[in-house]
């Protein structure tokens, strides 16, 4: 029968060594959360609301639920709320080490700033027969950005994935509708935009409730493993 050798006994520490060891263990600091260390709060709810408000407004116009004549107000909100505010909130996300949301929110901010600049300054230089093509090209390009973010979102939660899918499909429908002057596609893009804005507001509410109550309140369906 094989005999498992008994390991040699561990040498006992002296009283002084034991006291020094325990003192070092007690003195070792516990690292606070990353956001606390950086001094920055969670800017995700701000970015979500800043993106959701102009998305809802423009989607109401695209869905033909409200007159197209209100677009100047929509673009004003897009500049200050969807553009500048979302961009700042995205930079804060990057500052606190949240790369995915930082890229997402900065991209949304850049989208609204670009849309404002195109509508206010640059579109008038495009030949009238090419305006739809110009807007379609812009929307297709941003749709590619959304496709990239959608592919990277499967470690977040179900609501984020569904929201990006809705926004992506809506943007491609709007791109096709503007490029080919298909009013029905623009309307469907507006309907999906309204559904996406509802998801965005839900995400913002879930984030704010979790921050306020220090626990998850609204289900999001986490996909992280």
């Amino acid at each position: 029968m094989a005999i498992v050798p008994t390991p040699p006994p561990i040498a006992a520490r002296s009283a002084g060594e034991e006291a020094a060891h325990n003192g070092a263990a007690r003195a070792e600091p516990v690292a606070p959360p990353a956001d606390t260390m950086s001094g920055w709060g969670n800017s995700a709810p701000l970015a979500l609301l800043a993106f959701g408000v102009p998305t809802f407004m423009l989607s109401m116009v695209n869905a033909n639920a409200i007159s197209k004549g209100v677009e100047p107000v929509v673009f004003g909100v897009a500049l200050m709320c969807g553009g500048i505010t979302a961009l700042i909130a995205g930079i804060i996300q990057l500052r606190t080490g949240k790369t995915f949301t930082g890229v997402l929110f900065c991209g949304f901010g850049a989208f609204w700033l670009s849309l404002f600049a195109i509508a206010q300054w640059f579109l008038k230089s495009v030949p009238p027969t090419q305006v739809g093509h110009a807007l379609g090209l812009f929307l297709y390009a941003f749709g590619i950005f959304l496709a990239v973010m959608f592919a990277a979102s499967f470690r977040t939660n179900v609501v984020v994935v569904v929201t990006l899918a809705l926004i992506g499909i809506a943007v491609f429908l709007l791109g096709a509708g503007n490029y080919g002057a298909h009013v029905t596609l623009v309307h469907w893009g507006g309907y999906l935009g309204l559904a996406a804005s509802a998801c965005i507001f839900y995400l913002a509410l879930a984030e704010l409730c979790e921050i306020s109550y220090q626990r998850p309140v609204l289900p999001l369906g986490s996909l992280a493993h």
Side-chain angles (χ1 to χ4, degrees), residues 62-83:
N62 289 330
N64 201 30
I66 194 169
S67 171
K68 195 175 177 66
V70 304
E71 279 190 346
V73 173
V74 176
F75 289 128
V77 175
L79 171 64
M80 300 305 299
C81 187

Side-chain angles (χ1 to χ4, degrees), residues 64-110:
N64 201 30
I66 194 169
S67 171
K68 195 175 177 66
V70 304
E71 279 190 346
V73 173
V74 176
F75 289 128
V77 175
L79 171 64
M80 300 305 299
C81 187
I84 296 174
T85 303
L87 185 61
I88 293 171
I91 292 172
I92 293 173
Q93 289 287 296
L94 292 172
R95 176 63 180 82
T96 55
K98 297 171 178 141
T99 303
F100 177 83
T101 50
V103 172
L104 183 65
F105 297 147
C106 285
F108 285 156

